[in-house]
């Protein structure tokens, strides 16, 4: 399942984050790549202990914790602190699959990467190239969203970032361990939840809504890994 969540950040919040990121201390992104990914990676990143990364990352996690679409789609159990990257001057990241397990910096905790997320800080007209390309059983999906929008996709997906040939592409990226491990099950729960919400608006007094809501929670109870 790939899911687009619009307006995670307001235009003013995006502007403030972007102004701060443009003054940030960007490092060679290959320093965080594994022995295979290092050959495909050509970008810049903020250090994970950079105070600016921690400040903006905490703000993003706080916003997502109150975002109903994110909660419904991801069913988050754990969210890895966001990281930040920048692509320019032909920067790219070739085909790769994210690590299955990530350590939370400064702790003994680990996060399984059921879902990958990218939050865009630059509008599509600000740069050429830079599409996030995600491969799945239905083909290739090219993603280039407005600033402040977020895309969720399975962490098991083969994906890449196309070369940025003009301007700069800045984004936050992070991983989520879901209450429901299987993507197909999360997709069914999201579809059921969306249908319940729509019916609640059109026929709020229909007794079938209570039964459908019960089905949703019983499925979540059955499929949850906690």
């Amino acid at each position: 399942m790939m899911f687009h969540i619009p307006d995670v950040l307001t235009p003013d919040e995006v502007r403030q984050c972007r102004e701060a990121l443009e003054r940030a201390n960007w490092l060679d992104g290959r320093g965080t790549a594994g022995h295979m990914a290092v050959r495909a990676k050509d970008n810049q990143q903020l250090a994970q202990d950079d105070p600016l990364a921690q400040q903006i990352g905490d703000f993003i996690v706080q916003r997502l914790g109150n975002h109903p679409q994110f909660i419904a789609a991801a069913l988050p159990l754990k969210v890895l602190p966001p990281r930040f990257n920048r692509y320019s001057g032909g920067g790219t990241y070739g085909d790769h699959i994210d690590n299955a397990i990530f350590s939370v910096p400064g702790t003994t905790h680990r996060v399984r990467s059921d879902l990958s997320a990218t939050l865009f800080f630059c509008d599509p007209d600000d740069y050429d190239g830079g599409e996030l390309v995600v491969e799945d059983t239905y083909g290739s999906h090219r993603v280039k969203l407005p600033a402040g929008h977020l895309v969720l996709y399975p962490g098991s997906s083969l994906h890449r970032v196309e070369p940025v040939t003009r301007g700069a592409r800045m984004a936050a990226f992070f991983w989520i361990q879901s209450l429901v491990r299987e993507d197909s099950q999360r997709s069914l729960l999201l579809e059921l939840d969306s249908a319940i919400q729509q019916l609640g608006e059109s026929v709020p007094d229909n007794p079938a809504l209570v039964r459908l809501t019960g089905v949703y929670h019983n499925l979540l109870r059955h499929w949850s890994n906690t």
Side-chain angles (χ1 to χ4, degrees):
M1 174 189 70
M2 178 175 288
F3 192 68
H4 169 203
I5 303 177
D7 302 320
V8 171
L9 302 180
T10 68
D12 187 57
E13 289 167 345
V14 169
R15 178 186 58 77
Q16 293 180 47
C17 290
R18 181 168 173 172
E19 288 177 353
L21 290 170
E22 286 174 344
R23 300 190 299 268
N25 181 28
W26 293 99
L27 306 175
D28 189 337
R30 287 172 291 190
T32 63
H35 70 283
M36 293 294 292
V38 69
R39 293 178 291 180
K41 191 174 186 179
D42 180 13
N43 67 2
Q44 296 175 301
Q45 287 186 207
L46 294 188
Q48 293 182 43
D49 60 355
D50 187 306
L52 179 62
Q54 295 175 347
Q55 178 185 356
I56 299 178
D58 288 346
F59 175 68
I60 291 170
V61 171
Q62 181 183 29
R63 290 300 302 271
L64 290 173
N66 297 314
H67 200 294
Q69 286 181 289
F70 174 77
I71 299 299
L75 295 171
L77 175 63
K78 302 176 184 177
V79 178
L80 196 74
R83 306 178 185 186
F84 299 85
N85 57 23
R86 182 181 186 274
Y87 293 83
S88 64
T92 184
Y93 199 164
D95 285 336
H96 65 284
I97 295 176
D98 294 332
N99 292 346
I101 305 293
F102 288 90
S103 296
V104 179
T107 76
T108 60
H109 300 295
R110 292 180 173 85
V111 174
R112 188 182 64 236
S113 58
D114 297 326
L115 289 160
S116 298
T118 298
L119 174 63
F120 292 81
F121 289 112
C122 301
D123 283 315
D125 292 340
D126 294 335
Y127 57 98
D128 291 337
E131 294 87 352
L132 171 65
V133 182
V134 181
E135 308 280 353
D136 64 17
T137 54
Y138 300 102
S140 297
H141 306 273
R142 303 177 70 86
V143 183
K144 191 172 182 179
L145 299 181
H149 291 216
L150 180 142
V151 62
L152 286 172
Y153 58 96
S156 58
S157 302
L158 181 71
H159 60 283
R160 66 182 181 272
V161 176
E162 299 282 38
V164 172
T165 57
R166 178 188 64 86
R169 173 197 190 270
M170 291 186 290
F173 63 102
F174 53 97
W175 295 272
I176 301 104
Q177 180 172 332
S178 178
L179 290 165
V180 177
R181 183 172 186 166
E182 294 297 326
D183 180 63
S184 60
Q185 294 171 347
R186 287 195 308 273
S187 297
L188 287 172
L189 286 169
L190 178 60
E191 185 174 356
L192 179 57
D193 184 33
S194 298
I196 290 170
Q197 298 300 324
Q198 292 174 14
L199 287 171
E201 293 178 359
S202 59
V203 285
D205 298 323
N206 192 315
L209 278 171
V210 176
R211 296 173 61 189
L212 286 173
T213 302
V215 170
Y216 173 88
H217 285 289
N218 284 331
L219 285 173
L220 179 57
R221 183 178 292 110
H222 180 66
W223 288 335
S224 174
N225 291 308
T226 60

